[in-house]
Amino acid sequence: RKEVEQDPGPFNVPEGATVAFNCTYSNSASQSFFWYRQDCRKEPKLLMSVYSSGNEDGRFTAQLNRASQYISLLIRDSKLSDSATYLCVVNYFGNEKLTFGTGTRLTIIP
Amino acid sequence: GAVVSQHPSRVICKSGTSVKIECRSLDFQATTMFWYRQFPKQSLMLMATSNEGSKATYEQGVEKDKFLINHASLTLSTLTVTSAHPEDSSFYICSARRTSEYNEQFFGPGTRLTVL
């Protein structure tokens, strides 16, 4: 079983719709959680850190469920510019390394 | 977010040559930097952790003598691919860890290496 699992997609969603991704992690010692986005042939860029209480940044909402060991990302009123691969990333307590999911490919359709 | 630069952005070289890639944190000090490699349609794979003033820690399967890492200052880490071969062609990305409650990592723009 992979340490961080994501549905690879692709998700093809009409502009303006709401889309949600889930990600599960296997190590209960996980401490920090992040969503990154990566555009084709570009580096990953930090979208948001995921806080225990959940957090919202504009159209983006992230949630953490430690009991079930998953995190989610909700995108409302999707824009064409949201088309990208979304990477679920986990950091374990006492370990500096990040563990990446394989990413979920999202395409927003006009 | 914090800014990390990487140079060069693209390099094409002949088989057998060595290529040096620089990674700089521009607006914060990074005691720890990371080097990743990404093949097409695959996820990032961590190659090594670079610690300022000490030896890098390599992931299993990564040859330390082939991928030389130097982290001479709090803002600069370099990766040298020695005796490059076509199978080393890939997208190499560095990241720098900013010390905070969440220890976010910020990525450089990447270096696309093509070995002929």
Side-chain angles (χ1 to χ4, degrees), chain A residues 34 36 38 43 96-97 101, chain B residues 32 38 43 97 102 105 108:
Chain A
F34 310 93
Y36 281 78
Q38 185 175 24
E43 78 279 17
E96 297 176 310
K97 297 188 290 188
Chain B
T32 305
Q38 186 175 35
S43 188
R97 184 173 70 97
Y102 294 95
Q105 285 188 27

Side-chain angles (χ1 to χ4, degrees), chain A residues 30-41:
Chain A
S30 302
Q31 180 187 28
S32 303
F33 309 88
F34 310 93
W35 284 103
Y36 281 78
R37 68 170 279 168
Q38 185 175 24
D39 294 287
C40 187
R41 301 173 71 84

Side-chain angles (χ1 to χ4, degrees), chain A residues 31-34 36 38 41-46 49-52 87 91 96-98 100-103, chain B residues 10 32 34 36 38 43-44 46 49 51 59 91 93 97 101-110 112:
Chain A
Q31 180 187 28
S32 303
F33 309 88
F34 310 93
Y36 281 78
Q38 185 175 24
R41 301 173 71 84
K42 298 286 188 180
E43 78 279 17
K45 292 187 178 178
L46 179 65
S49 302
V50 186
Y51 306 148
S52 296
L87 302 169
N91 172 242
E96 297 176 310
K97 297 188 290 188
L98 297 180
F100 287 81
T102 53
Chain B
R10 181 182 295 271
T32 305
F34 303 86
Y36 296 84
Q38 186 175 35
S43 188
L44 278 75
L46 179 65
T49 302
N51 298 297
E59 294 301 297
F91 190 44
I93 313 174
R97 184 173 70 97
E101 179 182 359
Y102 294 95
N103 290 320
E104 301 98 333
Q105 285 188 27
F106 296 90
F107 288 81
R112 195 160 299 280

Side-chain angles (χ1 to χ4, degrees), chain B:
Chain B
V3 180
V4 177
S5 71
Q6 199 170 330
H7 178 80
S9 58
R10 181 182 295 271
V11 59
I12 300 173
C13 68
K14 293 182 179 180
S15 184
T17 59
S18 294
V19 176
K20 186 176 183 179
I21 303 170
E22 292 187 349
C23 177
R24 295 180 186 272
S25 56
L26 298 184
D27 54 358
F28 66 101
Q29 293 184 330
T31 54
T32 305
M33 292 184 175
F34 303 86
W35 287 96
Y36 296 84
R37 181 166 54 181
Q38 186 175 35
F39 293 105
K41 298 187 178 181
Q42 294 186 25
S43 188
L44 278 75
M45 296 300 297
L46 179 65
M47 299 175 66
T49 302
S50 171
N51 298 297
E52 187 268 336
S54 64
K55 291 183 179 180
T57 303
Y58 290 82
E59 294 301 297
Q60 191 173 13
V62 179
E63 298 176 55
K64 63 179 182 179
D65 295 328
K66 180 169 180 64
F67 299 99
L68 301 178
I69 292 173
N70 184 279
H71 194 154
S73 76
L74 288 172
T75 59
L76 173 65
S77 175
T78 61
L79 168 69
T80 301
V81 183
T82 62
S83 187
H85 290 282
E87 58 265 30
D88 297 325
S89 298
S90 187
F91 190 44
Y92 291 85
I93 313 174
C94 72
S95 72
R97 184 173 70 97
R98 184 173 67 181
T99 303
S100 70
E101 179 182 359
Y102 294 95
N103 290 320
E104 301 98 333
Q105 285 188 27
F106 296 90
F107 288 81
T111 297
R112 195 160 299 280
L113 171 64
T114 302
V115 184
L116 302 176

